[in-house]
Amino acid sequence: MTDEQYKKITSAAEFFNETARKFLTTERGLHAETLISSVARMSGSLMYRSFGFDEKFEPGTAVLSDKANIEGPKLMNGMYATLRQLGHKIGEENTNKEYVSAKFSQLNFKESHDRLAAFFLAYCKAASISFQDAAFGASIATAILIHDCRDVLAIEKGAAIAIYGFVEGTKTAPYSTGQRTSPPAAPSTPPKKPWYKIW
């Protein structure tokens, strides 16, 4: 990774962190599980967009692919690496598997996408950052949010919620934001795992 690429990714992480906090705040403040889940979903969704799949897939449907099975775990690894840099002894072995679920978020995938996608995509265009690098930036932002929410949500639980968000994002056809993202491409070969399986 070049220095320029690293700077772009970390700048994206900062923007995504701030944007999510702004647009997910309610009259009751921020809900940790929803915040973490939503940014993780967008991380996965940005990675999905990097695959170049045909945009004719019905939004919200599961799109099974080997690409998701290969690239998705990289988002999880980036999250873990960032959390360890922030001082947490966390990895797959001590993540609370009971929290690998969407049920803890107050928003579903579409609602998270509706609130954040347009801003995340606009940033990608303005910053001339690839969807893949932006996805890594969002995975870093997810880790920072998990760290910042640690007083109300244990790191082991927040990481698990994020993992499910990465899975949802990388394996769900995104909804329209009124913006064209990339030229359509042929779908990949059939997957080897069900979309809901953790890597």
Side-chain angles (χ1 to χ4, degrees), residues 24 34 37-39 41-42 60 102-116 164 168 172 175:
L24 295 177
T34 303
S37 177
S38 295
V39 177
R41 285 164 169 164
M42 282 309 307
K103 69 182 180 181
F104 300 100
S105 174
Q106 294 177 343
L107 300 176
N108 60 31
F109 180 87
K110 184 179 187 304
E111 291 166 334
S112 294
H113 189 277
D114 286 349
R115 294 198 189 187
L116 299 178
Y164 196 86
E168 280 188 294
T172 304
Y175 295 87

Side-chain angles (χ1 to χ4, degrees), residues 140-161:
I140 292 170
T142 302
I144 293 169
L145 292 170
I146 293 168
H147 170 78
D148 289 348
C149 293
R150 65 192 181 281
D151 290 340
V152 294
L153 183 69
I155 297 295
E156 296 79 10
K157 295 177 179 179
I161 289 169

Side-chain angles (χ1 to χ4, degrees), residues 50-111:
S50 77
F51 301 157
F53 289 154
D54 194 325
E55 292 181 1
K56 292 179 181 177
F57 282 122
E58 185 69 25
T61 58
V63 179
L64 312 181
S65 71
D66 288 334
K67 288 184 178 181
N69 292 333
I70 293 169
E71 300 298 329
K74 295 178 183 178
L75 301 177
M76 179 181 69
N77 293 337
M79 173 195 69
Y80 281 137
T82 303
L83 285 170
R84 286 191 287 270
Q85 288 178 347
L86 292 169
H88 304 290
K89 295 180 180 178
I90 184 72
E92 288 185 72
E93 66 283 352
N94 61 334
T95 295
N96 188 329
K97 302 297 191 294
E98 293 179 6
Y99 276 72
V100 181
S101 171
K103 69 182 180 181
F104 300 100
S105 174
Q106 294 177 343
L107 300 176
N108 60 31
F109 180 87
K110 184 179 187 304
E111 291 166 334

